[in-house]
Amino acid sequence: MGTRRTTLPGVGTQYDFTTEDGQHISVVVHKDGRRFIGFYDRDDPDACLLSVPLSPDEATALAHLIDTAPIDAVRTDGIDLVTEHIPVTSKSPYAGRPLADTRARTRTGASIVAVLRRTTATPSPGPDFRLSIGDTLVVVGTREGVDALAEIIAGG
């Protein structure tokens, strides 16, 4: 599978790929974070049959569902550690706030080891790092700690 990248001036970037089965699919990434997935006619590669718009939160959720390589648990001296990706959605009480406000490690024992934002990654973000809607937190901890942190970030 090869992916072709095309810059769309004033809009964003379009990524096209063809599956092993011959289905042409494209993803248009707008500068404001919106995504559109397009499905094309096999007989007419220029005919888009369906376009599905996704908000940044929806795109993140879909990406997690599609990912075929979930990160497995890591065994360390009898303690099962897991690594998870936790999205910061528009419902999170921490969107727009510094990472320190989560008090993640103190409250759950889980650590936020990186923050993924659109095309960048921030490893070991400091307490002043300000979270944004659409960010994905890379978290390491026990299953219980990571689940508790996911609930805190989600606003539960």
Side-chain angles (χ1 to χ4, degrees), residues 36-93:
F36 287 80
I37 298 177
F39 300 91
Y40 290 82
D41 188 332
R42 287 177 193 265
D43 298 326
D44 183 358
D46 293 327
C48 185
L49 300 173
L50 176 65
S51 177
V52 180
L54 299 170
S55 70
D57 290 346
E58 293 165 337
T60 299
L62 182 60
H64 288 292
L65 293 173
I66 291 174
D67 187 356
T68 61
I71 300 169
D72 295 328
V74 177
R75 290 197 168 276
T76 307
D77 295 332
I79 300 172
D80 287 332
L81 297 177
V82 296
T83 302
E84 293 279 340
H85 289 176
I86 300 173
V88 178
T89 68
S90 59
K91 295 177 183 171
S92 174

Side-chain angles (χ1 to χ4, degrees), residues 53-138:
L54 299 170
S55 70
D57 290 346
E58 293 165 337
T60 299
L62 182 60
H64 288 292
L65 293 173
I66 291 174
D67 187 356
T68 61
I71 300 169
D72 295 328
V74 177
R75 290 197 168 276
T76 307
D77 295 332
I79 300 172
D80 287 332
L81 297 177
V82 296
T83 302
E84 293 279 340
H85 289 176
I86 300 173
V88 178
T89 68
S90 59
K91 295 177 183 171
S92 174
Y94 298 101
R97 294 173 55 188
L99 184 59
D101 286 359
T102 66
R103 297 181 37 241
R105 197 170 323 159
T106 301
R107 295 167 72 185
T108 67
S111 296
I112 299 170
V113 297
V115 177
L116 310 176
R117 181 174 289 165
R118 292 187 187 173
T119 59
T120 63
T122 303
S124 301
D128 295 334
F129 185 90
R130 195 164 290 275
L131 299 174
S132 294
I133 295 170
D135 285 352
T136 299
L137 310 179
V138 180

Side-chain angles (χ1 to χ4, degrees), residues 6-66:
T6 306
T7 300
L8 304 174
V11 176
T13 305
Q14 180 172 338
Y15 300 90
D16 292 283
F17 67 93
T18 303
T19 67
E20 290 179 5
D21 199 29
Q23 179 67 56
H24 174 197
I25 300 172
S26 71
V27 176
V28 176
V29 178
H30 286 249
K31 290 181 177 179
D32 65 2
R34 294 176 299 140
R35 267 65 169 163
F36 287 80
I37 298 177
F39 300 91
Y40 290 82
D41 188 332
R42 287 177 193 265
D43 298 326
D44 183 358
D46 293 327
C48 185
L49 300 173
L50 176 65
S51 177
V52 180
L54 299 170
S55 70
D57 290 346
E58 293 165 337
T60 299
L62 182 60
H64 288 292
L65 293 173
I66 291 174

